[in-house]
Amino acid sequence: MEVLREKVEEEEEAEREEAAERAERAEKAERVLKASEVSKEGIILSQDDLRDLEEKLMAIEIPTPADHSVICQPPVDVTKLPPSYTTNSVKEEHLLLVADNFSRQYSHLCPDRVPLFLHPLNECNVPKFVSTTLRPTLMPYPELYNWDSCAQFVSDFLTMVPLVDPLKPPTHLYSSTTVLQCQKGNCFDFSTLLCSMLIGSGYDAYCVNGYGSLDLCLMDLTREVCPLTVKAKEVVAKKEKVAPKKYAIKPPRDLTSRFEQEQEEKRLQAIKDQELKRLKEEEERLLEAEKAKPDPLHGLRVHSWVLVLSGKREVPESFFIDPFTGRSYGTKDDHFLGIESLWNHKNYWINMQDCWNCCKDLIFDLGDPVRWEYMLLGTDKPHLSLTDEEDEGLDDDEDEEQGKEEEDKSFDMPPSWVAQIEITPEEFETRCPSGKKVIQYKKAQLEKWSPYLNNNGLVCRLTTYEDLQCTKVLEIKEWYQNREDMLELKHINKTTGLHVDYFKPGHPQALCVHSYKSMLPEMDRVMEFYKMIRVDGLVKREETPMTMTEYYQGRSDFLSYRHINFGPRVKKLTQNSADSNPRPVVKITEQFFRNPEKPADEDVAERVFLIAEERIQLRYHCRDDYITANKREFLRRTEVDSKGNKIIMTPEMCISYEVEPMEHTKKLLYQYETMMHLKNEEKLSRHQAWESELEVLEILKLREEEEEAHILTISIYDTKRNEKSKEYREAMERVMHEEHLRQVEAQLDYLAPFLAQLPPGEKLTRWQAMRLKDECLIDFKQRLIDKANLIQARFEKETQELQKKQQWYQENQVTLTPEDEDLYLSYCSQAMFRIRILEQRLNRHKELAPLKYLALEEKLYKDPRLIDFMKGYV
């Protein structure tokens, strides 16, 4: 810090000396400067004044940052770069001259401002204007169409490199293609790439050269809260006040002592105040511990970020984007301390507003030349119009001359010298350098991995700590992708030991959420299911060591709730598993939705099976015009009369309460049938409870297997990772290659039958070669004739059969039925179709036969076995 402070003092002293020299030169040119602000105001100067001003401007030396080219060596082979990287076009050279002239005027008019960041060197040490370094590009990935996904991609894909000198802009500004290839860069490299992507996506984005806080420049997020830990605010629905009824019953009179109530309220308020005081002191202590140390270079650290103006892409309000983190900030945020200049791919603007209050008072109206000084006249921003009084004071001739002068001075920005920005699918999927990135937040650590890098599909892990030193873990969140078991998120609370697994649709057991503390059976756990996938309509299952509760929706029997109470398991001498020795069921409680097809007083709302007490309790739905509901209780005890006979049903075995008693419900037969039905339902409910226990064991076993295997799914379109698809494609290519070779080998050899007539091993003579050629041609000619005769014979045969059929029709036309006529017409249609096809084939054969004959003759002349004997013959 002492070295930096001495360096700053030396630079300030040198700047004071230069300012004194500039003041002397300014006094000599005061007459010229009073006559005109700049030539762009439209005021015409004399030739001597212009020449004097030009000499003085050329005499001004623009201080440039120290050369760090040794440190900033390009990390790529510059010899393989396009010519636009190593040379400047005529238009670019002209733009550099305009930029130099603009920089001299700026330094002359604003001697206290730092030099402009106009044309740094690229990776080939060639000066390039900053606006031409932007290459607007629309990426072919839908995920990179919005600003937040673009910013997050740039933040994840690149590695931050701090500026060599934190007080000055860099001397080199690499192209986005080089930055993507190296996957690292400084804040200006980050901003250039992000701004190119945003402009290509249709945003009104600009690169900003300004000053930022220490945390912003060094990407220090240890005092920032992780966005993933911020919980969304729950909207609490306000309860509507129920209007008091006219004939409502008055509440009973309150007879408690008011003095005692006041004393109790005072005591509770004192406890509350003491707790608030303790919390306030604790919060102040934490804030003091979190408070950053004062930065000696506060307000001097150079930083670059992206400005997105409102208007395009339905952006309602302008905002900043920090390219290091990909987070958005308001234009009045305290992290951004000032702006020197900004630019896009069309123009360059200088901030002429005072930044004493950081960026909070800045107005981003780039069409206002008082607040933003532009370099090129060809800007797409609207200029402020003059008032009526000022407009009346200008003559038409001056307007025409000023318009001509502006037309002469207008200069279009040359196209970007950067090659097309391309991101391969592999790079887009990998994201982070080497596939992993770690970000440290306040009391949290975020780890990111590329898909398929971890065998278990882990792509992100958020670890939350209790203290600032990050020593005591509170909870862990892990995100997964491409899991065959559809696991998406795993939440582990280290304090309570609670594990919560979240699944996407597609799990074999339709699991949605699984909360547990232990994977052992008969422990506390909650399972939630996708209701539209399960046939039984199970939505949620809660289990404790002695109970199990299930919630249903959309069932045909209108069951909504089932609660099962278990008793202690009976110990057996033999060691049996939980399947063979289930827990005894003590009580089953079932609740039902309202069935609109039944009367309310006959529709069961709750059913309780007290198995240990051999009782069944029923509660029916309440009618709208009643205030109480019907109830019944059945005793299942088997009683014996005085003679020893079993009593099946007695009036005492059914205790009922009915709001409006009915005759048929009092009959013993109705009660007996109801109890028999309830006994069957009890057996069914106990069986379903046993099946639920087995299903829980099956799910736990399946989850253990899935956690051990953690198989990942691979798309069939991923040809690099999908081994089955790769093997199938290679097999198909191999079969096609073999088929092609087989077809080449199977091509007809016209000379083979004739060469077989010669003695084996005998050398072919000239006479034999000529004889083979003639015999082959004669044979081929005869085959063509035979083929023509065969087509002609078939044509004549079809014609004769059609004529015979027509003659038969003429003779029997009167006696034919409609079905016979339909058959005759169908036959004639098919026969005419065959005749036309044969006629076309015959005509085509007559046209192609001479050509085929000549092709064979030419092939025989070029045959390697006869070519030596065919010389001299045509």
Side-chain angles (χ1 to χ4, degrees):
M1 291 300 178
E2 295 295 335
V3 177
L4 290 176
R5 192 176 294 105
E6 293 176 0
K7 186 176 181 180
V8 172
E9 293 176 356
E10 292 177 359
E11 291 178 355
E12 291 178 352
E13 185 178 356
E15 289 179 358
R16 285 194 294 270
E17 295 177 357
E18 292 176 0
E21 296 177 0
R22 285 195 296 268
E24 294 178 0
R25 292 195 299 265
E27 290 176 359
K28 297 179 182 179
E30 185 176 0
R31 178 178 57 84
V32 178
L33 294 177
K34 285 182 179 180
S36 170
E37 292 182 19
V38 188
S39 61
K40 80 169 190 177
E41 294 290 336
I43 300 175
I44 303 175
L45 301 177
S46 63
Q47 295 294 331
D48 296 338
D49 293 340
L50 289 174
R51 193 178 298 107
D52 188 14
L53 179 61
E54 182 179 0
E55 292 177 357
K56 294 181 181 301
L57 290 175
M58 294 298 295
I60 298 175
E61 296 181 358
I62 304 173
T64 57
D67 186 13
H68 299 284
S69 58
V70 178
I71 301 176
C72 302
Q73 287 295 332
V76 295
D77 188 2
V78 296
T79 59
K80 298 180 180 180
L81 296 176
S84 61
Y85 285 62
T86 57
T87 58
N88 282 324
S89 63
V90 177
K91 200 169 185 179
E92 287 179 321
E93 291 290 348
H94 187 190
L95 177 62
L96 294 179
L97 294 177
V98 172
D100 288 337
N101 184 31
F102 181 74
S103 180
R104 291 190 184 94
Q105 295 183 33
Y106 171 75
S107 299
H108 183 75
L109 296 174
C110 305
D112 297 333
R113 297 282 293 270
V114 298
L116 295 177
F117 184 68
L118 290 173
H119 43 74
L121 304 178
N122 67 351
E123 51 263 48
C124 300
N125 291 324
V126 177
K128 295 288 185 178
F129 192 67
V130 289
S131 295
T132 60
T133 309
L134 294 174
R135 179 64 185 264
T137 305
L138 177 61
M139 295 300 169
Y141 307 102
E143 295 85 352
L144 298 183
Y145 186 62
N146 296 324
W147 71 265
D148 50 352
S149 55
C150 286
Q152 193 60 48
F153 173 80
V154 173
S155 174
D156 293 341
F157 191 79
L158 302 181
T159 302
M160 187 272 289
V161 177
L163 294 174
V164 178
D165 188 351
L167 305 180
K168 296 179 182 179
T171 59
H172 289 70
L173 182 62
Y174 295 159
S175 63
S176 297
T177 55
T178 302
V179 173
L180 285 173
Q181 185 176 353
C182 303
Q183 285 192 269
K184 61 181 179 180
N186 54 40
C187 55
F188 288 84
D189 299 326
F190 274 68
S191 300
T192 302
L193 175 59
L194 178 57
C195 191
S196 300
M197 296 171 64
L198 293 180
I199 295 176
S201 298
Y203 288 96
D204 193 9
Y206 302 83
C207 285
V208 181
N209 172 27
Y211 304 94
S213 62
L214 176 63
D215 296 342
L216 200 67
C217 297
L218 299 181
M219 195 181 170
D220 186 5
L221 300 175
T222 54
R223 278 178 287 275
E224 298 288 338
V225 179
C226 180
L228 296 178
T229 60
V230 179
K231 297 182 180 179
K233 295 182 179 179
E234 298 181 356
V235 179
V236 180
K238 295 182 179 179
K239 295 183 180 180
E240 296 182 359
K241 294 183 178 180
V242 181
K245 295 181 180 180
K246 184 177 180 180
Y247 300 102
I249 300 174
K250 294 182 179 181
R253 187 177 179 182
D254 188 9
L255 301 178
T256 57
S257 174
R258 293 183 180 179
F259 176 76
E260 293 180 355
Q261 289 182 356
E262 292 176 358
Q263 294 298 320
E264 183 67 17
E265 289 176 0
K266 290 181 179 180
R267 187 181 66 82
L268 295 176
Q269 186 64 31
I271 296 174
K272 185 177 180 180
D273 294 342
Q274 188 176 2
E275 182 68 18
L276 289 176
K277 183 179 179 181
R278 188 186 64 81
L279 291 176
K280 187 176 181 180
E281 292 177 355
E282 182 70 16
E283 184 177 357
E284 291 178 355
R285 186 183 63 81
L286 293 176
L287 290 175
E288 187 66 26
E290 297 173 6
K291 189 176 180 181
K293 297 180 180 179
D295 182 17
L297 301 179
H298 183 73
L300 301 176
R301 295 184 181 274
V302 176
H303 189 60
S304 178
W305 62 91
V306 175
L307 165 67
V308 179
L309 293 183
S310 59
K312 293 185 178 180
R313 287 294 304 272
E314 300 180 358
V315 176
E317 187 178 359
S318 303
F319 61 93
F320 294 146
I321 302 177
D322 180 26
F324 282 162
T325 60
R327 301 177 64 178
S328 63
Y329 298 87
T331 56
K332 298 181 180 181
D333 194 272
D334 294 334
H335 287 90
F336 304 92
L337 307 178
I339 295 178
E340 288 288 344
S341 59
L342 55 86
W343 62 91
N344 63 358
H345 62 298
K346 293 182 179 180
N347 210 336
Y348 188 95
W349 291 267
I350 303 174
N351 178 29
M352 306 304 294
Q353 304 172 73
D354 193 356
C355 295
W356 68 273
N357 195 20
C358 300
C359 299
K360 298 179 181 179
D361 300 332
L362 296 185
I363 299 176
F364 295 96
D365 181 11
L366 302 185
D368 186 356
V370 178
R371 294 185 174 92
W372 296 95
E373 186 76 21
Y374 56 87
M375 192 182 96
L376 301 180
L377 293 177
T379 176
D380 57 347
K381 296 297 177 184
H383 301 286
L384 292 179
S385 59
L386 297 175
T387 61
D388 296 339
E389 297 178 356
E390 295 175 347
D391 195 14
E392 292 176 358
L394 296 177
D395 297 330
D396 296 338
D397 297 338
E398 293 180 357
D399 292 343
E400 293 179 0
E401 293 178 0
Q402 184 177 358
K404 292 180 180 179
E405 185 178 357
E406 289 184 356
E407 289 180 1
D408 296 338
K409 292 183 178 180
S410 62
F411 181 78
D412 294 334
M413 187 70 65
S416 176
W417 56 273
V418 181
Q420 181 68 30
I421 300 176
E422 295 180 354
I423 299 175
T424 62
E426 292 78 10
E427 293 174 343
F428 177 70
E429 184 182 281
T430 305
R431 293 287 181 104
C432 309
S434 303
K436 183 180 180 180
K437 196 165 190 176
V438 181
I439 304 175
Q440 192 72 32
Y441 289 96
K442 175 184 175 182
K443 298 183 180 181
Q445 185 184 39
L446 183 64
E447 302 171 84
K448 297 181 180 180
W449 292 272
S450 61
Y452 298 104
L453 183 64
N454 296 320
N455 296 330
N456 59 352
L458 181 64
V459 295
C460 184
R461 178 191 290 141
L462 175 64
T463 307
T464 307
Y465 299 91
E466 185 178 359
D467 53 346
L468 293 174
Q469 292 74 23
C470 298
T471 56
K472 187 177 181 181
V473 180
L474 280 180
E475 61 180 19
I476 299 175
K477 288 184 178 180
E478 296 178 344
W479 285 265
Y480 297 86
Q481 287 184 6
N482 308 309
R483 291 269 299 214
E484 192 177 55
D485 58 359
M486 311 308 290
L487 179 64
E488 184 178 19
L489 172 62
K490 184 177 291 187
H491 185 189
I492 305 173
N493 192 322
K494 292 293 185 179
T495 305
T496 60
L498 180 64
H499 293 64
V500 184
D501 299 342
Y502 298 87
F503 299 85
K504 295 187 292 185
H507 190 269
Q509 296 291 342
L511 264 180
C512 177
V513 182
H514 184 201
S515 305
Y516 58 94
K517 292 185 178 180
S518 174
M519 289 297 290
L520 298 175
E522 301 177 8
M523 300 295 290
D524 293 340
R525 73 181 70 257
V526 178
M527 295 183 181
E528 297 181 17
F529 304 88
Y530 289 97
K531 61 181 179 180
M532 301 303 294
I533 300 178
R534 290 187 64 100
V535 180
D536 57 356
L538 181 62
V539 176
K540 185 178 181 181
R541 177 184 286 134
E542 298 176 354
E543 185 182 12
T544 64
M546 300 303 293
T547 63
M548 180 184 292
T549 307
E550 297 177 337
Y551 302 86
Y552 297 89
Q553 284 185 7
R555 286 176 62 104
S556 58
D557 57 358
F558 296 93
L559 178 65
S560 63
Y561 171 85
R562 178 185 287 132
H563 182 77
I564 307 167
N565 293 85
F566 299 98
R569 181 179 281 107
V570 180
K571 296 184 179 180
K572 294 185 179 181
L573 297 178
T574 58
Q575 294 182 355
N576 295 328
S577 62
D579 299 351
S580 59
N581 186 20
R583 293 176 290 179
V585 179
V586 177
K587 179 182 177 182
I588 299 178
T589 303
E590 295 177 344
Q591 296 178 0
F592 299 85
F593 290 115
R594 178 74 174 89
N595 186 0
E597 297 180 358
K598 292 182 180 182
D601 50 4
E602 295 182 6
D603 188 14
V604 178
E606 185 179 26
R607 188 168 62 189
V608 181
F609 298 104
L610 300 172
I611 301 173
E613 302 176 9
E614 296 185 349
R615 288 188 300 129
I616 302 175
Q617 296 175 353
L618 297 180
R619 180 176 61 83
Y620 295 87
H621 285 279
C622 183
R623 286 173 51 174
D624 296 337
D625 53 346
Y626 289 172
I627 60 174
T628 57
N630 295 347
K631 296 181 181 180
R632 283 190 180 90
E633 182 176 353
F634 294 89
L635 303 177
R636 293 194 304 107
R637 295 191 183 94
T638 304
E639 297 182 359
V640 182
D641 58 7
S642 58
K643 298 181 180 180
N645 300 323
K646 291 183 179 180
I647 300 175
I648 299 177
M649 189 68 190
T650 61
E652 291 78 13
M653 296 177 67
C654 177
I655 304 172
S656 62
Y657 164 75
E658 297 184 16
V659 179
E660 186 177 347
M662 293 178 286
E663 292 296 330
H664 72 282
T665 58
K666 297 180 180 179
K667 294 181 180 180
L668 198 60
L669 178 61
Y670 173 80
Q671 298 175 0
Y672 171 75
E673 292 176 350
T674 304
M675 190 175 70
M676 290 297 103
H677 174 71
L678 292 175
K679 284 184 177 181
N680 296 331
E681 291 294 330
E682 180 182 341
K683 292 180 181 178
L684 181 60
S685 298
R686 294 178 65 179
H687 180 72
Q688 290 177 351
W690 175 71
E691 287 183 344
S692 298
E693 287 190 275
L694 293 182
E695 185 181 13
V696 171
L697 295 176
E698 183 181 353
I699 292 175
L700 295 179
K701 183 178 180 182
L702 178 63
R703 288 295 301 129
E704 290 179 356
E705 294 175 355
E706 290 171 347
E707 288 297 330
E708 291 178 0
H710 47 72
I711 302 175
L712 303 182
T713 58
I714 301 175
S715 173
I716 58 175
Y717 302 103
D718 192 349
T719 56
K720 291 188 176 181
R721 295 191 182 93
N722 197 324
E723 296 295 334
K724 294 182 180 179
S725 177
K726 185 177 180 181
E727 292 175 1
Y728 178 75
R729 187 181 69 256
E730 292 177 351
M732 291 296 295
E733 292 176 355
R734 185 166 55 252
V735 170
M736 292 177 63
H737 180 66
E738 293 176 356
E739 182 67 21
H740 176 70
L741 295 178
R742 193 180 300 109
Q743 290 179 359
V744 172
E745 295 176 357
Q747 289 182 352
L748 293 178
D749 186 4
Y750 295 100
L751 292 176
F754 303 98
L755 290 173
Q757 299 176 5
L758 300 176
E762 182 179 350
K763 188 175 181 181
L764 194 65
T765 62
R766 184 182 184 85
W767 178 81
Q768 290 175 338
M770 296 299 296
R771 181 169 167 269
L772 285 174
K773 179 184 74 67
D774 295 339
E775 289 180 355
C776 183
L777 291 175
I778 292 171
D779 181 74
F780 184 69
K781 181 179 180 181
Q782 187 61 38
R783 290 177 59 191
L784 293 176
I785 295 172
D786 293 342
K787 184 176 181 180
N789 293 334
L790 179 62
I791 298 174
Q792 181 68 29
R794 292 180 178 176
F795 176 78
E796 293 175 355
K797 181 180 178 182
E798 290 289 343
T799 305
Q800 291 175 4
E801 290 181 356
L802 180 60
Q803 291 176 356
K804 290 180 181 180
K805 195 70 175 178
Q806 289 176 349
Q807 184 179 0
W808 173 83
Y809 177 75
Q810 293 293 336
E811 293 175 356
N812 302 290
Q813 184 176 4
V814 180
T815 60
L816 291 178
T817 62
E819 290 79 5
D820 295 336
E821 290 184 359
D822 293 340
L823 292 175
Y824 167 74
L825 294 176
S826 177
Y827 172 80
C828 290
S829 177
Q830 295 178 3
M832 290 300 297
F833 174 75
R834 291 193 295 269
I835 291 172
R836 284 195 298 269
I837 294 298
L838 290 172
E839 185 179 2
Q840 292 177 3
R841 290 181 62 186
L842 182 60
N843 294 333
R844 186 169 178 271
H845 180 70
K846 291 179 180 179
E847 294 175 0
L848 296 179
L851 300 178
K852 291 181 179 179
Y853 183 85
L854 294 176
L856 177 61
E857 187 177 11
E858 183 180 359
K859 186 176 181 180
L860 292 175
Y861 276 113
K862 295 180 180 180
D863 191 279
R865 293 166 293 185
L866 304 178
I867 191 172
D868 295 336
F869 306 103
M870 295 294 114
K871 293 179 180 179
Y873 292 90
V874 180

